[in-house]
Amino acid sequence: MSTKDAVAILAGAVLVVSLFSSGKSTPATATSPLGNATGTRPGLAPITTDQDRAAARALVNRLTVKGQGPKTGYQRTRYGDNWADTATGVPYARNGCRTRDDLLARDGQDVQYRSGSRCEVVSMRLADPYTGRTIDWRKTRADAVQVDHVIPLSYGWRMGARHWPMSKRLDFANDPLNLLPVDGDANEAKDGSGPAGWLPPQRSIRCAYVTRFAQVSLKYGVPVTRADKATMLAQCR
């Protein structure tokens, strides 16, 4: 090996070490929900082709329809402590990091961690799928980015989760398939609504959003209301 080659290899090694020690500096690229059945790939990319929109409608057509039950007995703690790393049956489970930090690291660009931590995200840049905005986020204003449950926990409760074992509720609340970091104001506007009551402001992402909603519904056996199903199908025409 020549001296020139050795220097090049050493420089590459230094670059790799630098990237890992300073945080995740490579940008996250949003993926279509149709190619992300585990939820471990970042973000939410629009569904645009006729073939993919037909595939999305096929998923939605598989959903069971049911009337919405009461919210009686619902509390956030019915799904475990907020973002605690206590689930067992989903990606990132028991990895030592809080679920929120796992999702910020999955979807953020130029992610930086607190000094001495491999988990705690303190800054990043987010391409918000719901609004289309780019958000430069710092932990000092944490609520500017919130991690949305695509199927809200209260919606799941009203559609049958009150009868689930606690282990299934823990998985549902911490499953990356059901979680998206998004603009905080948009998440608060959504609250516990299904698709008939709320859709992302960015119209180009709506088919992808309802497809992810359908994926979570099918994985956990959560039925949807008749109005929600009709709205979901309409987004992917």
Side-chain angles (χ1 to χ4, degrees), residues 18-80:
S18 175
L19 288 173
F20 278 95
S21 63
S22 63
K24 188 181 72 175
S25 59
T26 53
T29 301
T31 54
S32 165
L34 293 171
N36 189 19
T38 64
T40 54
R41 298 178 67 189
L44 194 65
I47 293 175
T48 57
T49 70
D50 290 344
Q51 181 178 2
D52 284 350
R53 294 174 83 84
R57 291 194 303 273
L59 276 179
V60 174
N61 272 319
R62 292 170 54 194
L63 301 183
T64 300
V65 169
K66 180 181 176 183
Q68 197 169 59
K71 199 176 176 180
T72 306
Y74 170 73
Q75 299 177 34
R76 174 62 178 83
T77 53
R78 299 289 188 179
Y79 291 90

Side-chain angles (χ1 to χ4, degrees), residues 110-143:
D110 298 325
V111 173
Q112 299 295 320
Y113 298 92
R114 178 178 59 78
S115 178
S117 173
R118 66 176 183 84
C119 293
E120 186 179 344
V121 178
V122 296
S123 69
M124 63 160 192
R125 188 171 69 259
L126 179 73
D128 171 39
Y130 287 179
T131 66
R133 295 176 52 223
T134 297
I135 303 171
D136 289 314
W137 178 84
R138 301 289 183 274
K139 193 169 183 178
T140 51
R141 53 185 196 96
D143 284 349

Side-chain angles (χ1 to χ4, degrees), residues 12 48 60 62 65 67 71 97 105 108 115 132 148-149 205 211 213 219 225 237:
T48 57
V60 174
R62 292 170 54 194
V65 169
K71 199 176 176 180
C97 302
S115 178
D148 178 40
H149 287 93
I205 206 69
T211 300
F213 200 103
K219 180 173 181 178
T225 68
R237 286 178 181 155

